[in-house]
Amino acid sequence: MNTHAHNSWEARAEEYSLYGFTDLPSIRDRGTVVVTHGEGPYIFDTNGKKYLDSNSGLWNMVAGFDHKGLAEAAKAQYDRFPGYHAFFGRMSDQTVALSERLIDVSPWDRGKVFYTNSGSEANDTMVKMLWFMGRAEGTPHKRKILTRGNAYHGVTAVSASMTAKPYNEVFGLPLDGFIHLTCPHYWREGAEGESEAEFTQRLAAELDDVITREGADTIAGFFAEPVLGAGGVIPPPEGYFQAMQAVLRKHDIPLISDEVICGFGRTGNVWGCETYDFIPDAIISSKALTAGYFPMGAVMLGPEMTDRLQSAIDPIEEFPHGFTASGHPVGCAVALKAIDVVLEEGLLDMVRAGAGRMEAGLAEIAKHPNIGELRGIGYMWALEAVREGKVPFESELSVSERIANTCTDHGLICRPLGQSVVLCPPFTLTDGQMDEMFEKLDGALRQVFSDIA
């Protein structure tokens, strides 16, 4: 029962603030958690309660909540040059340095970068680039965008149309021309008796059929997360990207890797495309790009996409798109430091060293009869709750929300997604903190399953 005092932080939040992606019945019953500060992987609320945040904020606080180097990089840049744009042939030195650094750590030997304020805006921008190039190349009908069921690419009108989630129906989305293919979730979508390799070939055949039906000359691009993140941490089946990219290349359709979640270490490599051994035509980056210390997104173009865009720009002598804070000098300074923290100061090594331990600990928890599947890689994992076998719990039980709320009661933040609970902790997690995460999660699962069995 929500018993917060009238003038409490919690009551004030509920009076004046709107919630995004929040289960409102939980708010009515339990109230809002208002947080004040963080230490390492922990956050603290206005009542002094401590929580281990195994969601890294929203996948992004990979260096924890009090990394002095990141805060100092922001402060130093605020002192030196607190803000600017990247319009009219002017941009900060930090913007130049970051673009150079991003291409240096990319899968390509050359390319260009365009900055946004979020991953949603970066995906939206990439679509506009594709449409712009299509018109400049004499194919103005080349506008259709392919994504996958249960994918998440953002919340702008365009990126939400790419996001194949049923909740977008309340906005009258998707817009026309956004086509959603089968979700590459072998455990859930594979046919009886179908091997993982056969499932992959079926999805590649589906892609080929859709392109043939729609017309390759009408399709601007295919967007894919290396691991579906907000879809419930769904790694691709064996050989998936190789099979899909072969079809795309046959039809001359670019592959854009949405690395908003996977990029900069979450899968155990710099990029998710590196983990799954494919080279995309473009990369979308955000979240860990600044370790969550500044809102920023980036569209990274490989060589061919760079040349296509430049050819489209030349006749009109500009790319008529941008944001006031594109390439913000403070954000770029923070991103430069965040890349060093992940790649040079050991955070990526910590993921590689800890991933096996995390998988083993969760595998023990997944032996519970009401866990149907454990899936993930690196430092992104999901446990799917089931009544039995692959049969989900009744939707009215809100089982994953109950698990997440019970975890919160135990001092652990995790994320409910559909019938699953997701864990994507900061890369800085110690062995002791990982054990704490296991213990609190296991206790919450046992309590909830006992209550609803």
Side-chain angles (χ1 to χ4, degrees):
M1 176 67 73
N2 182 353
T3 58
H4 293 304
H6 172 69
N7 199 38
S8 66
W9 283 105
E10 296 83 0
R12 290 156 62 190
E14 290 152 29
E15 179 71 17
Y16 297 107
S17 299
L18 284 169
Y19 300 87
F21 290 108
T22 299
D23 183 67
L24 295 181
S26 289
I27 297 298
R28 286 192 291 269
D29 291 344
R30 300 167 53 85
T32 305
V33 175
V34 180
V35 298
T36 59
H37 64 287
E39 296 175 4
Y42 297 97
I43 60 172
F44 296 80
D45 69 17
T46 50
N47 300 306
K49 184 173 179 178
K50 179 180 178 181
Y51 307 85
L52 175 60
D53 190 341
S54 68
N55 199 44
S56 300
L58 198 57
W59 310 88
N60 56 342
M61 305 297 295
V62 296
F65 295 94
D66 62 348
H67 191 284
K68 293 193 184 323
L70 289 164
E72 288 168 357
K75 184 180 184 303
Q77 186 60 38
Y78 274 122
D79 288 342
R80 189 167 77 90
F81 191 38
Y84 210 64
H85 55 76
F87 286 25
F88 318 129
R90 296 188 293 276
M91 63 177 60
S92 79
D93 56 352
Q94 298 301 294
T95 311
V96 175
L98 178 59
S99 296
E100 184 178 44
R101 182 77 165 117
L102 284 172
I103 296 303
D104 181 58
V105 300
S106 79
W108 317 296
D109 57 3
R110 66 181 180 91
K112 289 193 175 182
V113 183
F114 188 92
Y115 296 102
T116 66
N117 307 304
S118 67
S120 296
E121 291 172 351
N123 275 310
D124 194 298
T125 295
M126 185 73 247
V127 171
K128 286 185 70 177
M129 287 178 172
L130 291 168
W131 289 347
F132 176 49
M133 290 185 285
R135 291 181 69 85
E137 293 162 356
T139 55
H141 49 284
K142 201 176 183 74
R143 296 179 65 82
K144 295 173 186 173
I145 302 295
L146 304 178
T147 60
R148 292 92 53 80
N150 219 15
Y152 184 91
H153 296 286
V155 295
T156 65
V158 164
S159 61
S161 294
M162 299 161 67
T163 295
K165 292 282 197 175
Y167 55 67
N168 280 319
E169 294 174 4
V170 302
F171 302 106
L173 297 173
L175 300 170
D176 291 341
F178 290 83
I179 300 167
H180 304 149
L181 303 169
T182 298
C183 176
H185 188 182
Y186 174 61
W187 181 78
R188 181 60 72 186
E189 299 289 343
E192 186 175 354
E194 184 178 44
S195 70
E196 192 168 335
E198 289 168 340
F199 177 62
T200 293
Q201 290 307 310
R202 173 159 65 86
L203 298 191
E206 176 196 41
L207 174 63
D208 199 29
D209 290 345
V210 168
I211 293 171
T212 301
R213 182 192 73 209
E214 299 291 332
D217 60 346
T218 71
I219 298 172
F222 175 83
F223 287 69
E225 305 158 87
V227 178
L228 276 76
V233 185
I234 301 171
E238 178 185 353
Y240 174 81
F241 279 104
Q242 290 68 36
M244 299 296 274
Q245 194 164 41
V247 174
L248 294 168
R249 284 176 173 162
K250 181 178 79 170
H251 294 286
D252 197 25
I253 295 170
L255 167 58
I256 295 89
S257 186
D258 183 345
E259 302 263 4
V260 167
I261 288 172
C262 295
F264 290 106
R266 182 62 69 182
T267 66
N269 288 298
V270 179
W271 304 108
C273 60
E274 181 182 357
T275 298
Y276 294 103
D277 194 25
F278 70 98
I279 298 177
D281 297 285
I283 286 173
I284 306 300
S285 181
S286 189
K287 294 194 184 293
L289 172 61
T290 61
Y293 278 62
F294 197 92
M296 176 175 279
V299 179
M300 301 170 55
L301 303 178
E304 184 177 347
M305 295 294 278
T306 294
D307 294 344
R308 285 184 63 197
L309 185 63
Q310 190 62 54
S311 295
I313 289 170
D314 286 343
I316 64 170
E317 300 181 338
E318 70 172 339
F319 178 46
H321 177 77
F323 305 92
T324 301
S326 293
H328 193 288
V330 176
C332 291
V334 171
L336 283 164
K337 179 61 177 178
I339 294 170
D340 281 346
V341 168
V342 172
L343 302 187
E344 311 297 338
E345 296 182 18
L347 263 66
L348 181 57
D349 293 334
M350 292 179 75
V351 175
R352 290 170 172 167
R357 192 173 191 278
M358 186 169 178
E359 180 178 8
L362 291 174
E364 283 298 310
I365 297 172
K367 291 177 180 178
H368 194 286
N370 291 119
I371 296 297
E373 184 187 33
L374 168 67
R375 55 181 181 265
I377 192 169
Y379 268 24
M380 55 188 305
W381 292 87
L383 295 155
E384 181 144 346
V386 293
R387 176 63 77 182
E388 59 180 351
K390 295 185 181 181
V391 179
F393 281 95
E394 298 79 1
S395 60
E396 60 269 20
L397 289 175
S398 301
V399 64
S400 65
E401 191 72 29
R402 291 172 76 151
I403 294 168
N405 286 339
T406 305
C407 282
T408 302
D409 292 341
H410 292 188
L412 176 69
I413 303 292
C414 61
R415 181 176 178 181
L417 277 171
Q419 295 277 326
S420 302
V421 177
V422 167
L423 299 107
C424 48
F427 300 170
T428 56
L429 215 62
T430 66
D431 287 352
Q433 290 161 350
M434 190 178 289
D435 288 341
E436 178 186 349
M437 179 179 71
F438 296 150
E439 180 182 351
K440 291 180 174 180
L441 175 64
D442 187 52
L445 289 170
R446 291 178 184 278
Q447 180 177 331
V448 170
F449 291 145
S450 176
D451 290 343
I452 63 179

